[in-house]
């Protein structure tokens, strides 16, 4: 006689931020959480350098991008910053607010994970670690001789096929994330499942990633590795301002990472290395002084950066031609370059693209094509800017699912 299998209410694919937040709302359900790593919340533990930027004071739709920009609006009302803070404060987790409204724990990401697990405890909850999902099928409900938990079962159930065997569930929540952090077990299983059930998946690319230098500036900028400046980057009508870090192969830091969200193929950007200083006006005001041009500019930027931006050119301040003033001003205030490549998934914070939100009922997170199948978090085509927005999206999408089940 074949071994009897248990039919559970839910299988959650992914034991990360979104999956564990959803688990909190399923206490009275039988749930199996399937996680490919040997521990839960591996990516959560790595966020913010382990300090966990868990949300932001300034939640607004413009901090997120999606093929459907209207989709995100309702979620900001489902779960607010104050709601997340209530969760954090309930567990006595100390936190601090930093620049641009970023909220970080003072006790580390592990404290958030512990709080999630504490609130997610359920007598009928079970975790399968080191377990890789290989496929998902919708199958006819088995007979009573081969399966327990059949009371009230639908005509069809889900069969989650894994490296540890098959699991049967009435409903499946896909919370497996995107393709970033491959060393932490990232896979494309969400896209695979979505396509299997006829759902559209938008192209996925690394996001919140460093910007590789164009060839024409690579040699000079590479020598500035480790230096950070406050700068602005403009892409069309968008202007971002934050810290820009020079590395051996490209721009990094918050400014570069946020810019990467809007890089699609070869994309022209304009970099202002001195956003608080009109270099042309500074030159005009300094013509009668005794300092050199490099010396004056070095009062506003590190000397090494000034040297690279001047590209070895020397100018006599008192005798600079209009065209020379314009040349220097352009190099410092509006240097144009074309970014054709960003860092890969091994260095990207998140994935842009994914399962189309148009395939999801926004009030329940359920698939429009397959009843009982849900998608939350990074698996979907919603990407936040740097600053706690992506974790908030994970929490909010999971909260929406839970409320939709009530």
């Amino acid at each position: 006689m074949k071994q009897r299998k248990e039919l559970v209410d839910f299988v959650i694919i992914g034991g990360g931020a979104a999956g564990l937040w959803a688990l909190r709302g399923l206490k009275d359900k039988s749930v199996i959480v399937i996680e490919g790593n040997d521990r839960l919340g591996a990516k959560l533990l790595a966020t913010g350098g382990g300090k966990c930027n868990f949300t932001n004071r300034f939640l607004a739709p413009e901090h997120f991008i999606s093929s459907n920009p209207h989709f995100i609006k309702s979620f900001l009302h489902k779960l607010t910053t104050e709601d997340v803070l209530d969760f954090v404060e309930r567990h006595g987790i100390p936190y601090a607010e930093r620049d641009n409204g970023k909220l970080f724990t003072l006790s580390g990401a592990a404290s958030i994970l512990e709080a999630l697990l504490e609130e997610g405890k359920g007598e009928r909850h079970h975790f399968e670690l080191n377990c890789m999902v290989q496929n998902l099928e919708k199958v006819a409900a088995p007979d009573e001789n081969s399966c327990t938990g059949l009371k009230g079962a639908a005509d069809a159930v889900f069969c989650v096929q894994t490296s540890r065997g098959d699991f049967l569930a009435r409903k499946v929540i896909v919370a497996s994330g995107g393709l970033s952090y491959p060393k932490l077990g990232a896979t494309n299983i969400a896209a695979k499942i979505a396509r299997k059930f006829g759902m559209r998946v938008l192209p996925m690319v690394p996001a919140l990633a460093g910007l590789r230098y164009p060839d024409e500036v690579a040699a000079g900028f590479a020598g500035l590795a480790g230096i950070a400046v406050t700068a602005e980057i403009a892409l069309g009508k968008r202007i971002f301002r934050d810290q820009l870090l020079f590395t051996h192969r490209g721009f990094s830091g918050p400014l570069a990472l946020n810019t990467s969200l809007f890089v699609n193929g070869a994309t022209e950007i304009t970099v202002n290395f001195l956003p608080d200083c009109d270099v042309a006006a500074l030159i005009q005001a300094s013509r009668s002084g005794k300092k050199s041009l490099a010396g004056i500019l070095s009062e506003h930027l590190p000397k090494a950066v000034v040297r690279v931006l001047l590209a070895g050119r020397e100018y006599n301040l008192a005798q600079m031609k209009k065209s020379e003033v314009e040349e220097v001003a352009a190099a410092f205030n509006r240097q144009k370059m074309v970014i054709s490549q960003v860092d890969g998934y091994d260095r990207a914070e998140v994935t842009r693209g994914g399962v189309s939100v148009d395939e999801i009922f926004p009030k329940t997170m359920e698939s429009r094509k397959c009843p009982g199948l849900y998608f939350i978090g990074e698996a979907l085509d919603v990407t936040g800017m740097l600053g706690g927005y992506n974790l908030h999206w994970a929490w909010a999408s999971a909260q929406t699912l839970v409320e939709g089940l009530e």
Side-chain angles (χ1 to χ4, degrees):
M1 182 176 179
K2 292 184 178 179
Q3 183 179 1
R4 291 162 65 88
K5 294 182 178 179
E6 181 184 4
L7 174 65
V8 297
D9 295 319
F10 287 88
V11 161
I12 299 178
I13 300 175
L20 294 179
W21 191 279
L23 185 64
R24 297 164 57 252
L26 303 174
K27 285 190 175 181
D28 60 339
K29 306 294 184 182
S30 55
V31 185
I32 295 175
V33 179
I34 298 176
E35 170 56 49
N37 287 298
D38 60 1
R39 61 179 178 175
L40 298 166
K43 186 174 178 181
L44 175 63
L45 291 171
T47 60
K51 296 178 182 178
C52 195
N53 180 192
F54 58 89
T55 189
N56 196 291
R57 287 280 188 193
F58 306 125
L59 288 176
E62 57 264 30
H63 295 134
F64 300 85
I65 62 171
S66 171
S67 59
N68 182 347
H70 300 291
F71 188 85
I72 193 64
K73 292 181 180 178
S74 64
F75 294 94
L76 302 185
H77 300 291
K78 290 283 188 181
L79 190 79
T80 65
T81 300
E82 288 69 30
D83 293 329
V84 178
L85 286 176
D86 284 344
F87 165 77
V88 168
E89 291 170 355
R90 190 163 61 245
H91 290 271
I93 299 172
Y95 64 90
E97 183 173 342
R98 299 185 183 173
D99 60 300
N100 301 317
K102 299 172 186 172
L103 292 165
F104 284 83
T105 67
L106 295 176
S107 53
S111 59
I112 295 286
L113 178 59
E114 290 169 6
L116 288 170
L117 293 175
E118 177 64 27
E119 292 200 5
K121 282 182 180 178
E123 292 183 0
R124 296 189 292 161
H125 292 179
H126 178 70
F127 299 94
E128 289 285 344
L129 304 181
N130 287 318
C131 184
M132 300 300 296
V133 174
Q134 299 164 340
N135 195 19
L136 179 68
E137 301 277 358
K138 206 163 190 182
V139 300
D143 60 56
E144 294 182 0
N145 292 323
S146 62
C147 184
T148 59
L150 273 171
K151 185 178 180 180
D155 292 336
V157 299
F158 290 96
C159 177
V160 186
Q161 300 169 1
T162 79
S163 57
R164 287 190 161 186
D166 297 347
F167 298 92
L168 300 178
R170 291 179 173 85
K171 298 180 178 181
V172 171
I173 300 171
V174 181
S176 54
L179 299 176
S180 57
Y181 288 91
K183 290 183 179 179
L184 296 181
T187 72
N188 68 342
I189 190 61
K192 180 179 178 181
I193 290 172
R195 291 190 182 104
K196 183 179 183 68
F197 290 96
M199 300 170 67
R200 187 163 66 102
V201 178
L202 297 171
M204 292 179 285
V205 296
L208 296 185
L211 309 174
R212 298 291 181 89
Y213 295 135
D215 290 343
E216 62 270 21
V217 300
F221 285 176
L224 302 176
I227 296 175
V229 298
T230 297
E232 287 182 351
I233 290 181
L235 302 89
K237 295 181 179 180
R238 295 188 181 92
I239 299 177
F240 304 110
R241 179 187 176 116
D242 214 316
Q243 286 289 298
L244 185 67
L245 174 68
F246 295 92
T247 74
H248 291 291
R249 59 183 182 178
F251 295 119
S252 188
L255 179 57
L257 269 58
N258 278 329
T259 300
S260 73
L261 290 172
F262 303 93
V263 171
N264 295 293
T267 303
E268 183 179 83
I269 67 173
T270 302
V271 186
N272 185 347
F273 293 100
L274 271 177
D276 293 323
C277 178
D278 183 331
V279 171
L282 178 66
I283 291 173
Q284 294 298 341
S286 305
R287 283 184 180 276
S288 60
K290 296 182 178 180
K291 290 185 178 180
S292 66
L293 175 60
I296 292 171
L297 291 170
S298 294
E299 294 176 1
H300 302 272
L301 279 174
K303 291 181 180 180
V305 176
V306 170
R307 184 170 57 251
V308 169
L309 294 181
L310 287 176
R313 298 184 294 268
E314 295 184 5
Y315 300 91
N316 184 318
L317 266 175
Q319 299 178 9
M320 284 183 73
K321 300 177 182 177
K322 183 177 180 180
S323 60
E324 292 176 326
V325 172
E326 175 64 21
E327 180 180 55
V328 173
F332 283 80
N333 284 146
R334 52 184 184 278
Q335 184 165 157
K336 296 185 182 299
M337 59 185 74
V338 175
I339 301 296
S340 299
Q341 187 179 4
V342 302
D343 284 339
Y345 286 116
D346 59 329
R347 293 175 177 268
E349 300 264 342
V350 293
T351 302
R352 192 182 76 212
V355 179
S356 171
V357 294
D358 293 333
E359 303 281 5
I360 300 293
F361 289 112
K363 292 184 178 180
T364 63
M365 307 308 293
E366 186 175 21
S367 166
R368 294 178 183 270
K369 301 283 181 62
C370 181
L373 179 62
Y374 302 79
F375 290 81
I376 55 177
E378 193 183 343
L380 287 163
D381 173 38
V382 174
T383 309
M385 299 181 72
L386 198 70
Y389 298 110
N390 286 290
L391 267 183
H392 192 96
W393 161 243
W395 316 137
S397 60
Q399 185 68 30
T400 300
L401 183 155
V402 169
E403 292 183 6
L405 294 172
E406 296 175 353

